Structures are given as structure tokens and as C-alpha cells.
Amino acid sequence: MKFSLDAPAKINWFLQITGKRSDGYHDIVSAMQCVSLEDHISFDDAPEIELVSDLDLPVAENLVYKAASLLKERVSYRGGARIVLRKNRENRDNRGKHSPRGLSQQAPRRSGL
């Protein structure tokens, strides 16, 4: 069974951890903003978990891969999935342009600082 979806992008302007809950999760205060970019992700049947991505990141460190592997383990699923993740960037030559880090590096230049 194959399906796909678009995942809206966001910017975390700040994130503060205010405590740890008894269930292991953290309490946070955060400000996020949606931006007009989306990543495209598709899933298809496969014998094992496989991630195809245009990110320069080892597969084992990718959060999509980690989540799929954990889900497979938790529900004792014997199959797998071929996951294709494509980052949608308006300007592919300027890859950090819409990341918080990229924005923070551009802000001083735009303000004349």
C-alpha cells in the first residue's frame, strides 16, 4: 500500500525546557511559526525499514527513520516500509535559507548590523 503526504514546515523561534514530567517528556515553552514550505514524504511496502532522503545526514540519525524503527519494534511489525523524504526548499542553492540557523545568520545582514 503506497501513500504520501506533505508535511508543513515551521520555525521554532525559541524553545525553553521548563521541567521534566513523570512520564519522561519535558514541559516546554515555545513560539513557532508556520512557513510556506512543505516537505514531501511517501511510504510504500518493503521488507525492512528503508529511508531515501535528500538530506546530508546519516540515515540512523534521521528522526523519520528513528520513529519508523521504533514503531515497528513497539507493534511487533514483521514487515517494513520504504520511506522517501524530499525537502522542499524554494531555493535549492541556498539550503539553509529557511532554517532557524539560516534566518539567524541572515537577520544581522538584513538589518545592517
Side-chain angles (χ1 to χ4, degrees):
M1 180 174 98
K2 183 172 184 170
F3 69 95
S4 62
L5 55 97
D6 291 323
K10 65 178 173 33
I11 294 173
N12 290 314
W13 290 106
F14 73 87
L15 173 71
Q16 179 181 5
I17 297 173
T18 58
K20 191 168 184 177
R21 304 182 335 198
S22 61
D23 61 5
Y25 289 96
H26 291 93
D27 290 320
I28 65 166
V29 175
S30 177
M32 294 184 290
Q33 178 180 352
C34 293
V35 294
S36 61
L37 298 173
E38 296 176 331
D39 296 339
H40 183 77
I41 187 166
S42 64
F43 302 84
D44 202 354
D45 292 326
E48 297 294 327
I49 302 292
E50 173 191 2
L51 177 66
V52 177
S53 173
D54 58 358
L55 293 174
D56 186 21
L57 179 71
V59 170
E61 294 178 23
N62 187 295
L63 293 178
V64 172
Y65 179 82
K66 287 181 178 183
S69 297
L70 183 60
L71 178 63
K72 177 180 175 163
E73 177 186 320
R74 292 280 171 98
V75 299
S76 301
Y77 182 63
R78 293 178 191 223
R82 182 173 196 267
I83 305 165
V84 178
L85 174 63
R86 298 284 180 233
K87 301 299 281 183
N88 181 10
R89 299 177 183 95
E90 289 178 2
N91 181 352
R92 301 205 42 102
D93 294 331
N94 189 3
R95 292 186 176 251
K97 179 178 174 184
H98 298 286
S99 70
R101 182 176 176 191
L103 289 171
S104 68
Q105 292 169 347
Q106 290 181 14
R109 282 186 237 134
R110 288 186 182 156
S111 65
L113 298 176

